[in-house]
Amino acid sequence: MRLLKLTAVVATCSLVVTITGCIKERGNNFVNETSPTPNTVDFNHQNETAALDIVPTPTIYKFYAELNSSYKAYPGTTITIAKNLGLVSGAGADFLPDSAYQLVNNTATVDPATHVAEFQLKIFTSKIDLTKSFAVGYTISSVTGGAVIGTNKSTILIVIGAKNKWDGVYELKGYHNRDPYTFPYDVEESMITVNGTSDAFYWNDVGSVGHPIGTGPGAVSWYGASVAPVIVFDPATNLITNIYNSDPAGPPITMFTGPGSGQSRYVPATKTIYAYWNYNGNPLRAFFDTLTYLRPRD
């Protein structure tokens, strides 16, 4: 009898252990299941720059909101956006005037294949005042189809950077005929849009408008930002019609036509600028520049 009781107890204990193990496993299976969460809609890129060429016809700029689908896709989700003036002023810019742009659509439907909704701006680059900093800003104001607005990325700021056809980064080669600064220079120089037909010299290495001078073999310096030439182009003939100093407090700059100069011009086939200029009207303060296009400016 004692043996039978012991066997029964062991059997009972084995049964308890087995049942407990099953309950624990079921608990693990439940915890590991993925619970459904709401789809969120936001702007994947919250800060963009629209680097646009200045052209007489409207330019279409596209930007996108995204549906982040973590559990299931909601068909027919639409996204509506609204103008955000505070976002633009907070960035130190002016909102692009109504005369210079049009928001083509303030509501868009999410593409079920790409999970993005496309919005379009129609921008009239020829009407932008390039002496000011402009941007547009938008906030996701509502969504449909069961999705919710993402709280962290619900806004987008688009800086408008219009560029004329001469804008870009160039290799600048040339020399200055003022003794003892007659050594050649070879640097990267940006031409920055001033308006539809004018561009300013911007020396990338110093991070400022200005122009290099050669001070020795392979050595360069500059006169500072007070000597900052601006080139004026004739888009019909590609000739340079004027070169002036952007700093009114600096020495006057004019086109140079004296010894060693050529015709100041732009050659579209090679994207090359030939510019001859001097300051203070002095023929011994002249520059002889060749700028060869390298790439677009950021």
Side-chain angles (χ1 to χ4, degrees):
M1 292 295 293
R2 292 174 62 86
L3 180 59
L4 289 175
K5 287 182 179 180
L6 180 60
T7 302
V9 171
V10 172
T12 302
C13 289
S14 298
L15 180 61
V16 170
V17 170
T18 302
I19 292 174
T20 302
C22 291
I23 292 173
K24 185 177 181 181
E25 185 64 29
R26 286 185 61 193
N28 279 344
N29 289 342
F30 178 76
V31 170
N32 290 339
E33 288 180 358
T34 301
S35 300
T37 57
N39 288 355
T40 59
V41 169
D42 58 31
F43 290 111
N44 189 35
H45 301 287
Q46 289 190 276
N47 294 278
E48 297 186 5
T49 298
L52 309 173
D53 294 330
I54 298 177
V55 292
T57 55
T59 299
I60 298 297
Y61 182 83
K62 300 177 181 180
F63 61 101
Y64 302 89
E66 183 176 18
L67 172 66
N68 301 290
S69 180
S70 59
Y71 181 66
K72 64 178 181 179
Y74 292 115
T77 299
T78 61
I79 304 171
T80 301
I81 60 175
K83 183 184 292 187
N84 188 326
L85 297 174
L87 189 65
V88 173
S89 62
D94 294 325
F95 209 100
L96 194 63
D98 292 342
S99 60
Y101 88 104
Q102 174 190 347
L103 178 62
V104 177
N105 59 306
N106 71 327
T107 299
T109 301
V110 173
D111 186 315
T114 62
H115 285 198
V116 299
E118 179 183 288
F119 295 90
Q120 293 187 2
L121 290 169
K122 183 183 291 186
I123 301 175
F124 305 93
T125 54
S126 60
K127 297 182 179 180
I128 297 175
D129 181 356
L130 299 177
T131 63
K132 297 181 179 179
S133 297
F134 289 112
V136 295
Y138 296 99
T139 298
I140 298 174
S141 57
S142 64
V143 296
T144 66
V148 298
I149 301 172
T151 56
N152 295 329
K153 300 166 70 176
S154 61
T155 62
I156 186 170
L157 176 72
I158 304 172
V159 176
I160 308 299
K163 300 178 180 181
N164 62 31
K165 71 177 184 178
W166 304 280
D167 193 290
V169 179
Y170 291 77
E171 180 182 15
L172 168 61
K173 291 184 177 181
Y175 68 95
H176 183 27
N177 69 354
R178 177 186 177 183
D179 188 62
Y181 308 127
T182 56
F183 295 92
Y185 42 80
D186 185 348
V187 302
E188 273 197 4
E189 187 91 5
S190 290
M191 298 301 291
I192 297 180
T193 297
V194 175
N195 54 45
T197 59
S198 302
D199 293 79
F201 282 80
Y202 183 95
W203 191 9
N204 297 349
D205 288 342
V206 299
S208 170
V209 292
H211 192 285
I213 57 175
T215 56
V220 292
S221 185
W222 68 326
Y223 290 129
S226 63
V227 178
V230 174
I231 294 179
V232 181
F233 298 91
D234 181 343
T237 64
N238 291 310
L239 296 179
I240 294 173
T241 59
N242 190 22
I243 302 177
Y244 67 91
N245 195 351
S246 63
D247 183 358
I253 289 175
T254 54
M255 295 176 64
F256 179 65
T257 58
S261 68
Q263 187 174 54
S264 293
R265 66 199 187 278
Y266 172 69
V267 180
T270 58
K271 292 187 175 182
T272 303
I273 299 170
Y274 299 93
Y276 307 95
W277 56 279
N278 64 343
Y279 64 88
N280 284 335
N282 189 335
L284 297 180
R285 299 293 184 268
F287 289 81
F288 305 81
D289 289 340
T290 300
L291 297 103
T292 305
Y293 183 83
L294 296 176
R295 62 184 182 275
R297 186 171 56 85
D298 293 336

